[in-house]
Amino acid sequence: MDLTLNEEQRGIRQMAAEFVDAEIVPHIREWDRAESIDRGLFTRLGELGFLGLTIDEEYGGTEVDMLSYVLVCEELGRGDSSVRGVVSVSLGLVTKTIATYGSPEQRRYWLPRLTSGEALGCFALTEPDSGSDAGSLRTRATRDGDDWVLNGEKIFITNGTWASVALVFARTSDDGGKGITAFLVPTDTPGFTATTIHGKLGLRGQATASLSFQDVRVPDSARLGEVGKGLAIALSALAKGRISVAAGGVGVARAALDAAVRYSTERTQFGAPIASKQLVQELLADSAVDVESARMLTWRAAAMVDAGAGSKEVTAPASMAKLSASETAVRVANNCLQVFGGYGFIDEYPLGKYLRDARVLTLYEGTSQIQKLIIGRSLTGVDAT
């Protein structure tokens, strides 16, 4: 598989890198301390087309391939994982899902708002008692005439307090995973409440929330896809969404490695730069190999999508990329913090933030353990218990 970037891909990557260096990197410590990125950034992301990557121009999108989207996510991850997370969820999980499964009316109404940055979306799947076992979710949607009435709770929802629309997965029957249906719920609907979750280890700059639905009434026109197909829609979105998480992980690891290389050439101990010490070079060399390996797995998964692979075909490669990149991000950030010594432990330098942000990549959109089960199933054809 040829993964050489073409001129358009190189141009998009360069534009993203320049944007990150000018408008994100200078603010990451401030946003981390304040537990909020500058929300004016959403408009800029929309103006640059980053919230509409892969979406038809008819809806305000930017018609590029999946690898171009991955390149942008990698650069955003290099700048601030909180910003990358906003894009991965609003675009990767919500906008793309509406583009794929939405009715013509849903696409016409929501897509231009989402691609422009006028609106953000959140992906409301996880519940207090339902994480990896998404098929056991309890939030319920009950049919009432031409409407549906939603009741339940969601947790750890990225963009939860910023979103204008929530893609909500709710139980419409007791038929296990086949009893779940997807709905597009405007967040100003009566009975919908979003509460910010404070005190997170990482991703402090993005809005993570718990959601409450108390007799939230929506018309049947808010239903996304067929009744009972919600879990399939969610899993399809997550299969490809994991590629953008992997790209973000590569970006975090790159940022940590770049910072450690610079520091090692500037920091002097025993009369010489610490870059001249063999064990420091070992930390840097191991990290560089890890980053490149994770990047190639991520680019390969994106290229498979561009070659026409469906969600089922790309599920295992996406899981390989996500597993590799997320674990790489943690390992590389930790090794590079070691290069900084005590200075890596204070937020005057960004290494602590990189490590904290990397840690969650092994948890959300499927833990590392879940990724291993997906990969194992693809190899053996057997569901592990």
Side-chain angles (χ1 to χ4, degrees):
M1 182 177 291
D2 183 7
L3 297 178
T4 304
L5 301 183
N6 61 36
E7 184 176 352
E8 181 183 34
Q9 291 164 340
R10 290 194 300 271
I12 289 172
R13 188 186 197 184
Q14 180 64 30
M15 180 172 65
E18 291 174 355
F19 169 72
V20 165
D21 289 337
E23 302 191 41
I24 295 179
V25 171
H27 307 291
I28 61 173
R29 183 171 63 180
E30 169 193 348
W31 293 343
D32 189 57
R33 288 176 171 177
E35 295 192 20
S36 180
I37 62 178
D38 178 5
R39 294 178 64 180
L41 204 64
F42 306 154
T43 301
R44 287 290 293 128
L45 290 166
E47 290 171 349
L48 290 169
F50 292 165
L51 289 172
L53 295 166
T54 74
I55 303 299
D56 289 348
E57 290 183 3
E58 175 186 357
Y59 302 110
T62 307
E63 295 187 27
V64 296
D65 57 15
M66 182 69 173
L67 183 52
S68 296
Y69 170 52
V70 159
L71 295 171
V72 171
C73 287
E74 182 179 324
E75 291 300 326
L76 293 176
R78 178 179 65 83
D80 191 334
S81 284
S82 292
V83 178
R84 194 276 310 158
V86 169
V87 175
S88 287
V89 171
S90 189
L91 169 58
L93 297 184
V94 179
T95 305
K96 289 187 178 187
T97 302
I98 296 172
T100 302
Y101 296 99
S103 67
E105 294 77 13
Q106 289 169 337
R107 293 197 296 268
R108 282 195 298 269
Y109 184 82
W110 285 115
L111 294 185
R113 291 168 169 79
L114 291 164
T115 57
S116 68
E118 174 189 342
L120 291 179
C122 68
F123 190 80
L125 177 64
T126 301
E127 298 185 359
D129 296 319
S130 169
S132 297
D133 184 13
S136 67
L137 64 81
R138 297 179 182 178
T139 295
R140 184 166 290 273
T142 304
R143 193 66 187 259
D144 184 20
D146 294 331
D147 297 337
W148 295 88
V149 180
L150 280 68
N151 285 280
E153 306 288 333
K154 302 288 182 177
I155 199 166
F156 304 135
I157 308 301
T158 300
N159 299 340
T161 54
W162 292 343
S164 297
V165 60
L167 175 49
V168 182
F169 298 89
R171 182 161 301 286
T172 49
S173 79
D174 294 322
D175 190 17
K178 297 179 180 180
I180 296 170
T181 303
F183 298 89
L184 294 171
V185 179
T187 57
D188 59 0
T189 305
F192 178 98
T193 304
T195 304
T196 301
I197 297 173
H198 291 289
K200 295 178 294 182
L201 176 67
L203 297 184
R204 293 179 178 174
Q206 75 181 31
T208 306
S210 59
L211 307 182
S212 175
F213 302 84
Q214 297 185 3
D215 294 329
V216 174
R217 181 177 293 271
V218 295
D220 188 53
S221 59
R223 174 172 47 82
L224 184 73
E226 299 176 23
V227 172
K229 299 297 185 180
L231 185 60
I233 290 172
L235 296 180
S236 175
L238 289 169
K240 294 181 180 178
R242 287 173 182 139
I243 302 175
S244 72
V245 175
V250 172
V252 175
R254 275 184 54 207
L257 179 58
D258 290 348
V261 169
R262 285 194 302 272
Y263 184 80
S264 71
T265 61
E266 298 166 356
R267 174 69 167 170
T268 299
Q269 291 288 279
F270 306 104
I274 62 173
S276 66
K277 307 305 178 184
Q278 291 183 11
L279 293 181
V280 170
Q281 289 201 6
E282 179 185 45
L283 288 170
L284 298 176
D286 288 348
S287 295
V289 171
D290 282 349
V291 170
E292 194 60 25
S293 296
R295 174 187 281 140
M296 288 300 100
L297 282 172
T298 303
W299 286 17
R300 176 179 175 270
M304 288 183 65
V305 175
D306 290 332
S311 294
K312 289 185 178 180
E313 296 171 284
V314 82
T315 293
S319 288
M320 291 180 190
K322 202 258 186 187
L323 174 63
S324 174
S326 60
E327 296 291 343
T328 288
V330 174
R331 186 167 56 251
V332 168
N334 192 51
N335 284 345
C336 290
L337 190 152
Q338 194 73 14
V339 173
F340 276 74
Y343 286 109
F345 206 67
I346 59 176
D347 74 356
E348 180 181 350
Y349 295 93
L351 269 296
K353 171 178 162 52
Y354 295 151
L355 181 56
R356 289 186 285 106
D357 287 348
R359 190 62 183 84
V360 76
L361 300 178
T362 69
L363 302 175
Y364 69 3
E365 296 199 28
T367 64
S368 291
Q369 288 69 34
I370 290 294
Q371 305 315 312
K372 290 177 181 180
L373 292 178
I374 292 171
I375 296 165
R377 183 176 60 206
S378 76
L379 293 171
T380 65
V382 177
D383 284 319
T385 58

